[in-house]
């Protein structure tokens, strides 16, 4: 599970991987070394996107062996980059190839409005790893005409025809992931996890027939495959060496094998070997064996996330998107925050959830603050700020989990500059002052509590299936909301002060509550087009949590809706009662998960998390027009450049900051395109 950047994007001041030929010793011509003291976090802005860069604190303190490990893991991640593109949509790679060929070979007028529109469209496609918006899932609409595009194709001898051409301009495959109620979500989602004519009913019946060897340790059926129909018969195409995406996977394996050779310890090396075995075989039991070994490998300076992991892009929550994050431990910050994982049992015991849903023994919970050294796939350019893995409930219960906050990513957000939106949407000066003084601390603690305590808490009732089976298309938003609620419940609690995490728990808690309600009911609406429903899992959970407590506290005026000079604000009048309401909703969301209550989760999400008050939405959009800062942010990655001696041995690895988003995207396509024609 990951904590999405949008939460932080709207909580923090402004809120809302490098590329190298493995044999090259030269710095890319488009890169420049940036001194830390003069570091510029901002790269460029276009459409609704802001491109940032991040530093890698502590790089120079790593040994050469450790730097090699990071380098190999980053290269492994980038080698699978195109998998994510193809998973997102079947024509993405074909379209990207055509767009990039036009961009690099066109010699005509580059000052016209249509050429500018073409450039912006290409950058948006790069950012989203395809032609659908990375967050809303809507298909990106070009601001140039089909006639102009045909002219560009002709003048650059570029071929793009048939459906791949038409889909850029028509209404086909308009939604990457369709989460609407009462429709065939699989059939109406453009994501390339399912073949033509596969339906919700097909998926559900296919996996209902699958039985795990050990029912107490259910396998993650569907995680690493595409489900298709061949002659009317359902069949999985497994992601593995020799299978679907095999050519890219073989490159990933090549780099992972090099990483094994410089592993920091035996446990880390064993986990990497199991990951390699999983990539070679596609065997889901090996995947679980790997996750157990990875969870137990907690020593060392370096860690990583790699493979097909998060299921948000599958409308039914089975299939994992390719992802890679390489991490360097921030020992000072990790030690400060270790107190949370050390007290995980206390948080479980004192939760508002039913006693029968609490874990008697919370095991193996670790939490670290890390600095990212490279990202790819589902984690780039748009990145999470926190991650808790593995996702299998039985591994969490029996073995434990790893939680990380991406410290240098959060730092980059904080230093990229304020958007100015906060003053527009706070109710009064007191709320503004609380956010300015305690907002960043509250956000960091919410991230930590969400990942460390939230996702690790609670248990399923005996005999209840995995949430993707019981809660279906609502599983992701329910889980994210449940973890948010755990964080909210404990953010307003003296235990945080007792543990030395805050100096004034009430002030931090109030800032956190103000921010969550302001975000969930107002500020996140700037991301939607007027008239749209809320469909993204994290946005849904923020709305249904906020709207539920607003309604349930109405009689006691817990949250006051204020209209002033034609503007809407939400003012919390009773933080103690709001804390109790968060506890009530946490209790109910855990019950829904533990019991697999589909009717209840459908009523909760559809009743509070999907529909938007159109008057307030129109008002928020109008108020937002004064701000020029883009609502979404993402990152270019530092470039790791390996210096080699005459024997080809790496003798040093430099960190170079890319100057431009465009050059990095072109470098990636040049050096990491390992999927030929994918069918």
């Amino acid at each position: 599970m990951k904590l999405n950047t949008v939460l932080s994007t709207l909580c923090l001041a402004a809120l809302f991987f490098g590329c190298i030929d493995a044999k090259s010793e030269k710095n890319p011509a488009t890169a420049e070394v940036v001194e830390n003291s003069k570091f510029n976090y901002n790269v460029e802005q276009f459409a609704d996107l802001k491109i940032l860069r991040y530093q890698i604190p502590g790089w120079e303190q790593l040994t050469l062996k450790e730097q090699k490990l990071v380098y190999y893991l980053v290269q492994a991640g980038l080698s699978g980059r195109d998998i994510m593109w193809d998973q997102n949509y079947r024509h993405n790679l074909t379209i990207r190839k055509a767009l990039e060929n036009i961009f690099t070979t066109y010699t005509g007028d580059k000052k016209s409005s249509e050429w500018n529109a073409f450039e912006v469209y290409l950058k948006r496609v790069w950012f989203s790893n395809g032609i659908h918006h990375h967050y809303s899932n809507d298909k990106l609409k070009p601001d140039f005409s089909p006639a102009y595009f045909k002219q560009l194709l002709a003048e650059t001898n570029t071929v793009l025809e048939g459906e791949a051409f038409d889909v850029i301009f028509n209404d086909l495959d308009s939604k990457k992931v369709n989460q609407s109620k009462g429709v065939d979500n699989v059939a109406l989602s453009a994501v390339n996890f399912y073949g033509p004519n596969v339906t919700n009913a097909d998926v559900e019946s296919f996996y209902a027939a699958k039985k795990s060897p050990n029912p107490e340790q259910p396998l993650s059926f569907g995680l690493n495959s595409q489900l298709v129909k061949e002659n009317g018969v359902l069949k999985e195409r497994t992601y593995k060496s020799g299978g679907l995406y095999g050519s890219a996977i073989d490159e990933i394996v090549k780099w992972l094998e090099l990483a094994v050779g410089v592993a920091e310890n035996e446990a880390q090396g064993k986990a990497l070997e199991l990951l390699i075995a999983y990539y070679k075989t596609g065997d889901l039991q090996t995947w679980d064996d790997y996750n157990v070994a990875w969870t137990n490998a907690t020593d060392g300076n370096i860690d990583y996330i790699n493979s097909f992991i998060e299921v948000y892009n599958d409308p039914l929550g089975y299939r994992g998107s390719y992802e890679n994050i390489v991490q360097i431990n921030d020992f000072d910050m990790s030690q400060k925050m270790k107190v949370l994982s050390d007290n995980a049992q206390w948080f479980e015991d004192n939760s508002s959830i039913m006693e029968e849903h609490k874990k008697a023994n919370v095991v193996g919970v670790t939490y670290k603050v890390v600095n990212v050294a490279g990202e790819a796939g589902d984690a780039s350019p748009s990145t999470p700020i926190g991650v808790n893995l593995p996702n299998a409930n039985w591994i969490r219960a029996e073995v434990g989990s790893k939680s990380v906050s991406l410290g240098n990513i959060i730092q980059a957000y904080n230093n990229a500059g304020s958007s100015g939106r906060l003053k527009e949407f706070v109710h009064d000066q007191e709320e503004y002052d609380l956010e300015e003084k305690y907002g960043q601390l509250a956000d960091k603690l919410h991230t930590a509590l969400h990942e460390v305590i939230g996702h690790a808490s609670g248990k399923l009732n005996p005999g209840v299936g995995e949430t993707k089976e019981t809660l279906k298309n609502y599983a992701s938003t329910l889980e994210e909301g449940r973890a948010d609620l755990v964080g909210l419940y404990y953010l307003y609690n003296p235990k945080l002060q007792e543990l030395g995490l805050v100096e004034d728990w009430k002030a931090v808690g109030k800032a956190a509550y103000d921010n969550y309600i302001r975000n969930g009911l107002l500020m996140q609406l700037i991301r939607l087009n007027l008239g749209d429903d809320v469909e993204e899992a994290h946005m849904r959970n923020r709305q249904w949590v906020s709207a539920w407590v607003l309604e349930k506290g109405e009689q006691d005026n817990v949250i006051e809706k204020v209209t002033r000079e034609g503007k809407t604000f939400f003012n919390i009048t009773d933080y103690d009662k709001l804390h109790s309401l968060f506890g009530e909703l946490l209790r109910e969301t855990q019950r829904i998960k533990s019991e697999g209550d589909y009717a209840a989760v459908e009523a909760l999400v559809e009743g509070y998390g999907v529909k938007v008050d159109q008057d307030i939405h129109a008002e928020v959009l109008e108020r937002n027009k004064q701000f020029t800062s883009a609502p979404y942010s993402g990152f270019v990655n530092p470039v790791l450049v390996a210096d080699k001696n005459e024997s080809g041995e790496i003798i040093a690895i430099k960190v170079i900051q890319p100057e431009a988003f465009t050059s990095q995207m072109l470098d990636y396509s040049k050096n990491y395109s390992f999927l030929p024609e994918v069918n």
Side-chain angles (χ1 to χ4, degrees), residues 240-352:
K240 64 175 183 176
S241 295
L244 188 56
Y245 304 139
S247 56
I249 288 172
D250 288 343
E251 284 292 323
I252 297 171
V253 167
K254 178 186 77 175
W255 291 105
L256 292 178
E257 289 175 338
L258 289 170
V260 171
V262 291
E264 296 177 276
N265 50 64
E266 183 179 354
Q268 188 182 71
K270 177 184 176 182
L272 284 166
E273 288 172 345
L274 283 167
L275 180 57
I276 291 167
Y278 168 62
Y279 271 130
K280 288 183 175 180
T281 64
D283 179 69
L284 290 171
Q285 182 59 62
T286 304
W287 171 245
D288 280 355
D289 294 343
Y290 160 70
N291 276 285
V292 169
W294 177 81
T295 302
N296 284 324
T298 57
D299 294 331
N301 295 335
I302 314 302
D303 210 345
Y304 62 94
I305 295 165
N306 181 290
S307 198
F308 312 104
I309 299 174
E310 303 292 2
V311 298
Y312 303 113
N313 286 320
D314 183 344
L316 298 187
Y318 282 88
R319 312 191 123 67
S321 296
Y322 176 78
E323 178 179 2
N324 183 73
I325 304 176
V326 183
Q327 315 154 8
I328 302 170
N329 191 18
D330 183 331
F331 283 96
D332 290 339
M333 285 303 300
S334 294
Q335 189 61 36
K336 290 177 183 177
M337 301 299 289
K338 183 174 179 290
V339 66
L340 283 179
S341 52
D342 287 346
N343 285 272
Q345 190 66 59
W346 184 92
F347 288 107
E348 184 77 354
D349 294 343
N350 289 273
S351 175
S352 63

